[in-house]
Amino acid sequence: MTEPEEKWTEGRMLALLQAKYSPGDRMAPEWVTFSQVRSHPTKNVRTIDFWAMNCWNSGGFRTIAVEVKVARSDWLREINNIEKRQEWKGLVHQFYYCAPNKVIKPEEVPEGYGLMVPAGANGLRTVVQPKMD
């Protein structure tokens, strides 16, 4: 008998991202993070699932955007919609997709973009390293 596949939700993936970029117990957090961020404050524009900014000079004050995908069908629609990723790629230093294993094949990730997948019960690992802009 095979074990059932683990159920992944966007909320669960966002919790993993939050844990990865968590400020921990430091007085000056290394990262600040937000979920569901719009690319422009007043226009009806695109929303990214997760955005983080490094707050330390040693981290280069870099910003990342992460689009979460939990279903293969959602990924297949996304990969054909280049406008969203291009708009956000122009606003951040790095852009990742974050998805459960088998939702996105590493070879499908557009050049310059990254891919994170769950690692263990509470972690993420980078499978495809994004280009740093």
Side-chain angles (χ1 to χ4, degrees):
M1 182 182 235
T2 61
E3 291 187 30
E5 288 221 10
E6 206 168 356
K7 178 67 176 160
W8 289 97
T9 63
E10 182 177 324
R12 187 169 172 202
M13 298 300 289
L14 288 170
L16 290 177
L17 285 162
Q18 185 63 45
K20 179 177 177 68
Y21 295 97
S22 171
D25 60 357
R26 298 182 178 130
M27 288 184 63
E30 182 176 3
W31 293 91
V32 292
T33 64
F34 300 92
S35 297
Q36 304 303 321
V37 178
R38 293 168 44 129
S39 61
H40 192 277
T42 58
K43 295 179 184 176
N44 184 18
V45 289
R46 310 209 184 270
T47 302
I48 197 72
D49 294 321
F50 187 84
W51 182 87
M53 179 182 164
N54 187 286
C55 299
W56 293 359
N57 188 39
S58 61
F61 303 107
R62 78 179 193 274
T63 56
I64 65 165
V66 183
E67 184 65 16
V68 173
K69 297 294 167 197
V70 294
R72 178 92 178 137
S73 58
D74 189 20
W75 165 248
L76 294 174
R77 278 190 306 276
E78 176 84 16
I79 196 63
N80 292 319
N81 181 3
I82 64 170
E83 292 85 16
K84 181 177 187 175
R85 71 174 177 259
Q86 285 180 332
E87 181 172 343
W88 273 98
K89 185 79 161 100
L91 297 172
V92 296
H93 295 101
Q94 292 178 308
F95 186 111
Y96 289 88
Y97 290 99
C98 185
N101 291 304
K102 300 181 183 176
V103 169
I104 301 174
K105 298 174 187 173
E107 63 271 14
E108 295 174 333
V109 177
E111 187 176 336
Y113 295 77
L115 174 61
M116 287 187 264
V117 298
N122 297 310
L124 291 169
R125 69 181 172 93
T126 300
V127 175
V128 177
Q129 187 66 39
K131 179 181 160 197
M132 178 78 155
D133 287 337

